[in-house]
Amino acid sequence: PLPADEAVRLSRAANDAAAAAVTRHPTRFRALSTLPMSAPGHAAEELARAAARGHVGTMVYGRSGDRLLDDPAYDDLFAAAAELGQPVFIHPQIPSDALRDASYRGFDQLTDLGLATFGWGWHLDAATAALRLILRGTFDRHPALQIVLGHWGEMLLFWLDRADSLSRIAGLQRSVSDYVRTNFHITVSGMLNPALLQHALSVTTVDRLIFSTDYPFQHPTGEQISRFLDNFETEEDRRKFSSANAAALFGIEV
Amino acid sequence: PLPADEAVRLSRAANDAAAAAVTRHPTRFRALSTLPMSAPGHAAEELARAAARGHVGTMVYGRSGDRLLDDPAYDDLFAAAAELGQPVFIHPQIPSDALRDASYRGFDQLTDLGLATFGWGWHLDAATAALRLILRGTFDRHPALQIVLGHWGEMLLFWLDRADSLSRIAGLQRSVSDYVRTNFHITVSGMLNPALLQHALSVTTVDRLIFSTDYPFQHPTGEQISRFLDNFETEEDRRKFSSANAAALFGIEV
């Protein structure tokens, strides 16, 4: 991770640049802020500064160096995000070297990398970060906090039967799946698979699902998107998924 | 893991004891063999010996000490399992200490343990072992090999859209999901959730799904089981799931 002072300086510069782009193209762009996660004491402050400049949320990784996202050092950040209504998008990240050594090596270099990232490891890592955030009691302390996960909620959405068994032993007020239903929004990152939609609708509601591509990696054609939208039962659900949920979550007038 | 000679000795004793129990109660029991996985050079031999005594398959972990199941040292074992028609059940295991340090610690002791095992980590570990086995080209070398995964295929069944992207870079003959459809059977381990059944049927066929409980941890009542069986479309599918698939896979006459 970046040295703290450099992280603060670069986050400000990135957020100012993004705010300027949004100002120039208000009908095309909105920005999620970049935070100095290696300087936890300054993250809430930069979140607030970027929010005041029009940023509609923030995007973080599940780990900064050795510090996991559920580290108590970030609790002020989550408090600020809840209070300011700034959703926190947890973006997948390459797993730590220790994790790669333990689980993702032993093939050729490219397969090792694919296994640790886009084919598998990224998603376990983001899902584990989200689950740890729940187990840490984050949503008991900050019930208004909203998290966004890409890729259909990473793997978390598919494993709630088991993850729910952790609710009580972690001393949570509610079940893991209950936090997922009330404190998480899910984007699809271009994975237009009706089976994943169907499963998502079995654990959360259509109000929580948000269309997204993953440009330039996943960019379905207009026809593929239209065909996928046919899987929604009503025009209203299609509208929620396509734009209304995102507009409501990020406070965007469309 | 056990010292090699002790592993060989104890595996033999365990398999002989299990064979004797099956002989005493042939209408109630069948056995999966225990193999000396810390003595890879002896694993195929013990598999064959147990198979000759009537064992219908074997059950292994995804790792023995530091040696992962896809280590080339086990390739003779998979060759023997394919040739003898002995399915290999990959059972979840507590993750390595390195993995626990990297991903599953920082809460109280019980939550750390639950996160690393039944609530989350077990399943990632078994799924990663299965995926690594595929990426290692195991099923290209041994196309007749059959793997069994519990818990609805651990997480692997839910992440094939992404895992498939690894097929080409790992130099496989077929796609990851194709191996899952043809070389894997899936048991449910008492997780009687219709949404999981529905998803499983979107990636594999009813011929590959096998009822199981997870006694004494998950033991649904007869009524819960009956209600779950109502989710199958035909009596034939119910019969396959309840008994015929297992009978065919393990070569059991019922």
Side-chain angles (χ1 to χ4, degrees), chain B residues 71-82:
Chain B
D71 190 297
Y74 294 124
D75 203 58
D76 287 348
L77 169 62
F78 291 115

Side-chain angles (χ1 to χ4, degrees), chain A residues 41-54:
Chain A
H42 295 274
E45 180 189 322
E46 183 59 19
L47 177 82
R49 200 189 69 88
R53 295 215 52 181

Side-chain angles (χ1 to χ4, degrees), chain A residues 165-226:
Chain A
S165 64
L166 301 171
S167 318
R168 194 181 49 79
I169 62 174
L172 301 179
Q173 291 171 12
R174 299 185 277 142
S175 68
V176 169
S177 54
D178 201 49
Y179 298 106
V180 168
R181 271 193 299 275
T182 56
N183 294 95
F184 284 71
H185 284 72
I186 305 299
T187 82
V188 307
S189 308
M191 297 168 71
L192 300 185
N193 178 348
L196 299 178
L197 169 63
Q198 200 160 34
H199 188 84
L201 287 173
S202 80
V203 293
T204 191
T205 56
V206 71
D207 308 81
R208 297 262 152 193
L209 304 181
I210 296 176
F211 173 77
S212 71
T213 63
D214 194 5
Y215 186 85
F217 307 107
Q218 304 271 348
H219 43 107
T221 64
E223 194 192 318
Q224 288 170 324
I225 295 170
S226 294

Side-chain angles (χ1 to χ4, degrees), chain B residues 149-238:
Chain B
L149 290 175
H151 308 99
W152 290 105
E154 311 298 351
M155 307 218 188
L156 188 56
L157 241 54
F158 300 89
W159 220 243
L160 293 173
D161 303 70
R162 283 287 169 156
D164 268 346
S165 64
L166 300 172
S167 319
R168 193 181 51 77
I169 62 173
L172 301 178
Q173 292 172 11
R174 301 186 276 142
S175 69
V176 169
S177 53
D178 201 48
Y179 298 105
V180 168
R181 269 193 299 275
T182 56
N183 294 95
F184 283 71
H185 284 72
I186 305 298
T187 81
V188 308
S189 309
M191 296 169 73
L192 302 184
N193 178 348
L196 299 178
L197 169 64
Q198 199 160 36
H199 188 83
L201 287 173
S202 80
V203 293
T204 191
T205 56
V206 71
D207 307 79
R208 297 261 152 195
L209 305 181
I210 295 177
F211 173 76
S212 71
T213 63
D214 194 6
Y215 186 85
F217 307 108
Q218 303 272 348
H219 43 106
T221 64
E223 192 192 318
Q224 287 170 324
I225 294 170
S226 295
R227 206 178 317 130
F228 183 73
L229 291 176
D230 287 343
N231 291 292
F232 288 87
E233 285 188 8
T234 66
E235 191 53 40
E236 173 66 7
D237 285 353
R238 258 187 293 279

